Amino acid sequence: LSASGISILVLLIVSISGLGDSIQDLRHPREKEQLSPEIVLIFGSIGVCFDLISFWGFYRWGLHSILSGYGEGSPMASPMAVNDAMSPSSRIIGSTSMNMRSAFMHVGADLLRSMVTVLEGLLVIFGHTDGKSTDSLASVVVSVTILCGVAAGVLAWSRQACLFFSRRSTEELLPDTPLVEFSRSLPDGLPECL
């Protein structure tokens, strides 16, 4: 849970920083090196290929971890699964799922950046747009889109953290009682999960 939280925080900080720099460059263009659209296009294309291979790896070996949840229709929705959720091994599974989701979010952000980089190179080469402003505008698009995705990641992480800490508090209060038996009479001090 902590690794995924740090990962989401890093993605958030980098996106906000990139957004701020890009907006500053659009408002007050600085003299910097000329953009080489061919290099941008090659870099973006290699990035897209690498990210698609990474997505294939997630699909092949980690799809269940990414899509697992506790909603209705999920295997975790049954009362027996709720009892099993109190076991220490379920924390490992839950944190693995959150870590996989966090890693998936990073690969998705990188794929988005790579695709926008390819589009940027194509616009500068064939559309004859200004390289500096196109680069700054591309960074704004990527940063804003990633921030929207990070918001969903923060929500999922918050739910996972809430469940973790409420289970921990519950185990400390009533260590030998199954969750299903006392869930109707929880003390007021336990947090409600999002």
Side-chain angles (χ1 to χ4, degrees):
L1 196 57
S2 60
S4 60
I6 291 169
S7 177
I8 290 171
L9 182 64
V10 166
L11 191 57
L12 181 67
I13 290 170
V14 169
S15 296
I16 289 172
S17 173
L19 181 62
D21 288 347
S22 299
I23 290 173
Q24 184 67 22
D25 285 347
L26 284 171
R27 294 174 117 192
H28 308 287
R30 298 181 259 168
E31 283 300 317
K32 52 183 177 181
E33 293 181 25
Q34 190 64 13
L35 182 79
S36 176
E38 294 82 12
I39 292 175
V40 169
L41 185 60
I42 291 168
F43 178 76
S45 299
I46 291 170
V48 167
C49 292
F50 180 79
D51 296 330
L52 290 175
I53 291 168
S54 298
F55 274 125
W56 176 80
F58 274 109
Y59 177 77
R60 177 84 165 92
W61 295 291
L63 186 63
H64 179 71
S65 291
I66 294 168
L67 298 178
S68 66
Y70 301 103
E72 192 174 326
S74 136
M76 289 301 290
S78 72
M80 185 57 104
V82 173
N83 283 333
D84 291 343
M86 292 297 291
S87 71
S89 64
S90 71
R91 287 194 186 141
I92 294 169
I93 293 167
S95 66
T96 300
S97 175
M98 194 69 235
N99 288 340
M100 287 293 286
R101 289 177 188 167
S102 177
F104 187 76
M105 189 167 43
H106 273 275
V107 173
D110 196 48
L111 177 63
L112 173 68
R113 182 206 43 82
S114 296
M115 289 173 28
V116 171
T117 302
V118 168
L119 181 62
E120 172 188 347
L122 292 172
L123 283 173
V124 173
I125 291 171
F126 299 112
H128 306 292
T129 61
D130 176 54
K132 293 177 190 176
S133 60
T134 304
D135 186 50
S136 295
L137 188 58
S139 294
V140 168
V141 168
V142 168
S143 296
V144 167
T145 308
I146 290 172
L147 286 172
C148 291
V150 166
V154 167
L155 182 61
W157 184 88
S158 299
R159 286 180 178 161
Q160 200 72 21
C162 185
L163 285 171
F164 174 79
F165 288 113
S166 67
R167 284 185 197 142
R168 188 172 174 184
S169 298
T170 301
E171 287 176 350
E172 289 170 4
L173 292 172
L174 304 164
D176 297 327
T177 308
L179 178 62
V180 174
E181 291 179 18
F182 70 85
S183 63
R184 294 181 189 98
S185 61
L186 286 173
D188 292 333
L190 291 178
E192 288 186 26
C193 291
L194 304 172

